[in-house]
Amino acid sequence: MLAKVNSAALYGIDALRVEVEIDLASGLPQLATVGLPEGAVKESKDRIRAAVKNCGYTFPAKRITINLAPADIKKEGSAYDLPMAVGILAAEGSIEKNRLDDYLLIGELSLDGTIKPVRGALSIAMAAKKEKVRGIILPEQNAPEAAVVKEVEVLGVRDLPQVVELLNEPTQVNLDDLFNQHSHYNADFNDVKGQQHVKRALEVAAAGGHNVILVGPPGSGKTMLAKRLPTILPDLTLSEALETTKIHSVVGLLNGQAIIATRPFRSPHHTISDAGLVGGGTVPKPGEVSLAHNGVLFLDELPEFRRNVLEVMRQPLEDGSITVSRAMGSINYPANFMLVAAMNPCVCGFLTDPQKECTCTPLQIQRYRSKVSGPLLDRIDIQVEVPGLRYQELASKDAGESSDVIRMRVNTARSVQLQRFEKTKVHANAQMGTREIKRYCAVKDDAEKLLETAINKLGLSARAYSRVLKVGRTIADLAGADDIQASHIAEAIQYRSLDRRM
């Protein structure tokens, strides 16, 4: 007796269709699983046997062989419990086999038959749509997440008997309602006192997708400002939300949330490893750079990160993706994020503070700054100083502009860029290559002279030169100007001369 059930395997942040084939034959009772199953899959036989019996069904006393095809892809996790159990019941005749042809099943079984949630439901639902499968049967906790994908019937179930009887109605969600429910931020830029120059720099960064480093004494508000950057980024589109949700779903960070409708903000501790930052492991998993995809990666106390950890960010900063290679193969994860870093100007932190005296020696300052390499700093478009606040600024009752007001200007600037690059793969000024810079970043004569003088005096590299032009283009977009003027270049140069002023 033979039965076949459709399931799926996670490969990176995507899912591949897997056929669970069950064969019941005469012989000594045993259950064997083939098809590159790892430990959790092999252990499923005990969970399946207990769940089937505790739900009142008869577990066949036969020789059971389960094949997970294709056999050259490693199968991990407990999501195959449900398709295996259903396949055994179907082979035994308890379920009509033809009713399983159009459904894809995933779920972990408890010993009492309860179905527990699994990781990667959104990716699996997308795979079901790609494979033109009619529907997907999965734990009800994962149903809202999977129901985001249209044209796929979603059946959320609580236990094994519900799967056998197929009593659940398809789960449907209203995407507009989901976005309205989850698209609110708990922070706002009007919470920040003073720091108008820094707020302006962050607005420019958000408008063009530029990387930022904030340098200032302890308590000046660097972390507070960074945490509010996502609130002024352009509104998340549906395609971006689905891609972001898929990554978090694979890692298991949704916590019952159906969709991520706000820009992600990731702030790893400085003790993180390079594999934790960019992804890795025996079975590669996405790292922090991928979890920050379409959002912000904040590295507080930048010099405290290990040198080798910081250097592995060069590829994702340039390419917007990261490739993790292991013996089992190479997996490419998206990593299009805005890098925001914060650091003190010296070891004690008070080198640039006019009210407190720095106690560091020149050698200590040099060693501290040398922890961050020049090539990495060269890839950060905007470098701005965050000064300490005086009492008058702290006591001021002026709330300043809200995030909503700033985001309106950012959205306007981004819409200009989207129209400008509509026939290319570029979506923001920070992603421009040499060809786009030549075409869209032409400057007037007075701006050209200013740029030449600044490069000669500051010794900017070729990469820094192109990044000044990119930032100048963004400042011009915020001002609604077609040409990059001298004032735009002057402001962009200010953001590249921080290390010369310290």
Side-chain angles (χ1 to χ4, degrees):
M1 292 174 284
L2 183 67
K4 184 177 71 173
V5 181
N6 295 315
S7 188
L10 292 176
Y11 189 77
I13 64 170
D14 297 316
L16 302 175
R17 184 173 179 174
V18 171
E19 292 183 354
V20 181
E21 299 174 327
I22 294 90
D23 177 67
L24 303 185
S26 301
L28 293 175
Q30 70 172 28
L31 194 156
T33 306
V34 296
L36 279 184
E38 57 94 47
V41 181
K42 292 179 180 179
E43 293 175 353
S44 63
K45 60 183 180 181
D46 297 318
R47 294 192 296 269
I48 293 171
R49 182 180 287 106
V52 170
K53 289 182 178 180
N54 291 331
C55 289
Y57 303 105
T58 301
F59 193 86
K62 298 179 181 179
R63 182 184 180 89
I64 305 173
T65 303
I66 301 177
N67 178 43
L68 305 176
D72 59 343
I73 296 177
K74 191 172 183 178
K75 319 301 187 306
E76 64 166 350
S78 55
Y80 301 102
D81 289 2
L82 181 60
M84 287 182 183
V86 170
I88 291 173
L89 293 175
E92 185 70 1
S94 300
I95 299 176
E96 291 291 336
K97 297 179 183 179
N98 56 6
R99 301 188 67 182
L100 298 175
D101 293 341
D102 295 332
Y103 289 94
L104 188 151
L105 284 74
I106 58 169
E108 176 185 342
L109 284 175
S110 297
L111 299 184
D112 61 355
T114 303
I115 300 176
K116 295 182 177 181
V118 295
R119 297 181 292 110
L122 179 59
S123 300
I124 294 172
M126 288 182 172
K129 180 179 179 180
K130 182 179 179 181
E131 295 286 340
K132 298 182 179 179
V133 177
R134 175 184 172 185
I136 177 173
I137 300 175
L138 76 173
E140 64 177 358
Q141 294 95 325
N142 296 122
E145 175 189 344
V148 170
V149 181
K150 298 301 182 183
E151 301 177 13
V152 175
E153 181 182 354
V154 176
L155 300 172
V157 291
R158 295 188 300 272
D159 50 38
L160 185 57
Q162 281 189 311
V163 180
V164 175
E165 299 174 7
L166 288 177
L167 294 177
N168 280 39
E169 293 293 330
T171 302
Q172 297 180 350
V173 295
N174 187 308
L175 282 179
D176 293 334
D177 291 342
L178 281 177
F179 264 80
N180 292 333
Q181 292 173 9
H182 301 292
S183 61
H184 302 291
Y185 294 95
N186 295 324
D188 198 284
F189 252 83
N190 58 19
D191 300 330
V192 183
K193 300 289 186 179
Q195 306 293 13
Q196 298 303 321
H197 174 64
V198 185
K199 290 180 181 179
R200 167 64 178 178
L202 291 179
E203 180 182 340
V204 173
H210 303 285
N211 301 320
V212 187
I213 183 170
L214 306 175
V215 182
S220 57
K222 301 186 294 295
T223 303
M224 187 177 186
L225 285 159
K227 287 183 176 179
R228 282 153 180 77
L229 179 58
T231 67
I232 63 171
L233 289 176
D235 300 323
L236 203 63
T237 64
L238 177 59
S239 60
E240 289 176 331
L242 289 175
E243 193 172 24
T244 304
T245 305
K246 185 165 66 170
I247 298 172
H248 284 70
S249 174
V250 167
V251 182
L253 296 178
L254 286 183
N255 298 321
Q257 187 175 345
I259 192 170
I260 294 178
T262 57
R263 299 278 176 181
F265 180 87
R266 303 295 299 179
S267 179
H269 193 260
H270 60 77
T271 56
I272 192 172
S273 65
D274 51 356
L277 187 64
V278 301
T282 305
V283 178
K285 294 289 192 301
E288 291 292 335
V289 297
S290 297
L291 292 171
H293 181 60
N294 292 323
V296 175
L297 177 66
F298 177 50
L299 302 184
D300 201 4
E301 303 297 340
L302 184 66
E304 302 301 328
F305 286 80
R306 291 193 293 272
R307 184 74 170 262
N308 66 302
V309 174
L310 295 178
E311 294 306 308
V312 296
M313 286 198 304
R314 290 194 193 180
Q315 181 203 346
L317 283 175
E318 292 288 344
D319 302 336
S321 63
I322 181 71
T323 301
V324 180
S325 299
R326 292 294 184 269
M328 62 173 291
S330 297
I331 298 178
N332 186 271
Y333 292 118
N336 187 14
F337 60 92
M338 278 185 61
L339 174 64
V340 180
M343 62 178 287
N344 297 325
C346 62
V347 179
C348 74
F350 300 110
L351 178 63
T352 59
D353 194 330
Q355 300 181 16
K356 295 184 179 180
E357 183 178 357
C358 175
T359 59
C360 301
T361 64
L363 181 59
Q364 286 177 318
I365 296 174
Q366 182 182 5
R367 286 178 177 174
Y368 179 75
R369 295 181 185 174
S370 64
K371 293 181 179 179
V372 183
S373 69
L376 180 61
L377 282 176
D378 216 23
R379 287 171 167 81
I380 300 179
D381 300 353
I382 296 178
Q383 305 172 12
V384 62
E385 183 177 350
V386 184
L389 293 175
R390 298 182 179 275
Y391 172 78
Q392 290 80 0
E393 293 175 306
L394 292 172
S396 173
K397 296 182 179 179
D398 183 12
E401 289 185 317
S402 67
S403 294
D404 292 338
V405 174
I406 301 175
R407 189 167 62 248
M408 288 178 61
R409 295 197 295 267
V410 170
N411 279 329
T412 301
R414 278 291 182 101
S415 63
V416 172
Q417 296 167 42
L418 290 174
Q419 184 176 2
R420 177 185 298 145
F421 306 123
E422 62 179 349
K423 295 183 179 180
T424 67
K425 295 182 179 180
V426 178
H427 303 292
N429 288 337
Q431 301 171 359
M432 284 192 292
T434 304
R435 183 177 301 176
E436 289 81 16
I437 292 175
K438 288 182 178 179
R439 182 174 181 180
Y440 301 112
C441 295
V443 296
K444 293 187 174 181
D445 293 340
D446 53 347
E448 186 72 44
K449 293 178 181 178
L450 176 63
L451 188 58
E452 179 183 0
T453 302
I455 288 178
N456 291 334
K457 288 187 176 181
L458 298 177
L460 299 182
S461 66
R463 179 183 286 113
Y465 166 75
S466 65
R467 292 182 184 273
V468 166
L469 290 176
K470 292 179 184 179
V471 175
R473 178 68 268 174
T474 301
I475 296 171
D477 290 340
L478 283 170
D482 294 331
D483 299 323
I484 302 177
Q485 302 173 7
S487 59
H488 305 147
I489 291 296
E491 183 177 352
I493 291 172
Q494 287 182 353
Y495 300 140
R496 299 297 305 187
S497 56
L498 174 63
D499 56 339
R500 278 82 181 176
R501 298 200 305 271
M502 289 196 306

